[in-house]
Amino acid sequence: MQVFKFGGASVKDADSVRNVAGILKNYKDQSLVIVISAMGKTTNALEEVVEAHMQQTGKAGELLEAIKERHLALMHDLFDPGDDVFSEVNDTFVEAEWVLDESPSDSYDYTYDQIVCVGELVSTRIVAAYLNKIGLPTHWLDARDVIITDNTFREGWVQWDKTKPNAVKIVQPLLEKGGYVLTQGFIGSTTENFTTTLGREGSDYSAAIFSFALDAESMSIWKDVPGVLNADPRLFEHTIKLDRLSYREAIEMTYYGAQVIHPKTIKPLQNKSIPLYVKSFLDPKAPGTEISSDTEDTYPPIIVVEKNQSLLHIVTTDYSFVAEQHLARLFTELASLRIFVNMMQNTAISFSICVPNVPDRLEAFKKVVADEFRVKQEDGLELITIRHFNDETVASLKKGKVVLFEERIRNTLQMVVRNVPVVERRTVELERAKG
Ligand code: ASP
Ligand code: MG
């Protein structure tokens, strides 16, 4: 059996849903688990509902209503007014309305998961109903019955010892009955039946969890790009599609922030040698990118740009050397605040780190280390990582930039640069750099 994942962009409107159904028609009578994200930018919109509810601005209900209206409009395009899907979707929204009726819980992250899960619950209701309507029998599955996590809300850690047997017990029999199994990405459940989410863009990871647990032959992610490219096409003009990548190269790319695949996706697939295909839902016959095995190809320069970075210059207040015990303390505080260090460098009495700019967590960090360290913060930076770099690519990426620090380790070069906001698209001669 195979696992397919369709992201938000692939189901953003009624025509997109029809397009997905058109792709799935080609797999009729095959054993397929289909994982779907929330439609379009629904998750962002639901995050605003959460924010409004937590701040008690009085706007949460309206914002949720607008999301519901958008879904209903799309459904009117796909279904007859009497279709059962209307009451299914309505019931799901009612559950979110109940959360809004209560006063906000102390835990932001807990509340977030109880509200944001609605996006995936309704998108899957809609797509499953549509597939059934056009004669592609489909079982709707609640992913929360299968994927069990700990109670780290917004970043649930999968409990494999429970998730694996659940998948076999629940999904296998559905597949044996015939028809597709269609379920939500991004969401899971604690053992006490509270909804959790797996981290933004986590639907890829959900698909990998199902692939691993059910020993899939392969997994495919259907996207609006032809495959994995060597740079983000929104930032660079001449990108190259990579035909094949090793698991290792894919893990490295996603670790450095390439957004094409969720970083947790590769490991479960690699552990069972399940190939991953990244394909275009706009050109479904095209081969896309295959991620498999550890055989290395030669790669062109692969560029990952992470925006909105900050540099923290950390200095000991008493001019003592930044020694192991200082680093141990700093890293403990960083880890407990979930601040991820992208790059670091030190001198005798200072230590600099490049981190994503998450204002409240960085403020909390500065406060908690203030007894021993002074921290200077510089915002608005970009972290550029180039794997398989060559001089030409590096030079062209540095053009018009101030490089604050730079590091080369084997085939990876990283640099923190000052953002030049007016330059939105850069023409990098990747094509020539390939050779
Ligand atoms: N809908 C979720 C998000 O936008 C999960 C996903 O798309 O993978 O983050
Ligand atoms: Mg998404």
Side-chain angles (χ1 to χ4, degrees), residues 203-222:
S203 297
D204 295 347
Y205 183 40
S206 300
I209 296 166
F210 280 101
S211 300
F212 179 92
L214 295 163
D215 290 313
E217 269 158 59
S218 70
M219 169 174 152
S220 302
I221 298 180
W222 297 86

Side-chain angles (χ1 to χ4, degrees), residues 147-150 155-161 163 198 205 209:
I147 298 180
I148 305 301
T149 71
D150 68 356
E155 193 72 50
W157 278 83
V158 174
Q159 314 277 288
W160 291 97
D161 58 331
T163 301
L198 307 176
Y205 183 40
I209 296 166

Side-chain angles (χ1 to χ4, degrees), residues 335-382:
S336 76
L337 286 162
R338 291 203 277 147
I339 299 171
F340 304 107
V341 177
N342 283 324
M343 204 175 158
M344 56 192 156
Q345 206 169 53
N346 69 307
T347 70
I349 62 159
S350 81
F351 178 59
S352 303
I353 54 175
C354 174
V355 294
N357 182 9
V358 271
D360 29 325
R361 288 190 234 163
L362 297 189
E363 283 315 312
F365 172 72
K366 287 194 254 185
K367 220 184 251 159
V368 75
V369 300
D371 58 325
E372 274 190 290
F373 305 95
R374 231 188 9 249
V375 181
K376 241 177 53 197
Q377 181 176 339
E378 192 174 345
D379 295 335
L381 306 175
E382 268 181 16

Side-chain angles (χ1 to χ4, degrees), residues 37-38 43 120 186 200-203:
S37 307
T43 304
E120 269 69 12
F186 186 49
R200 283 304 306 265
E201 304 304 326
S203 297

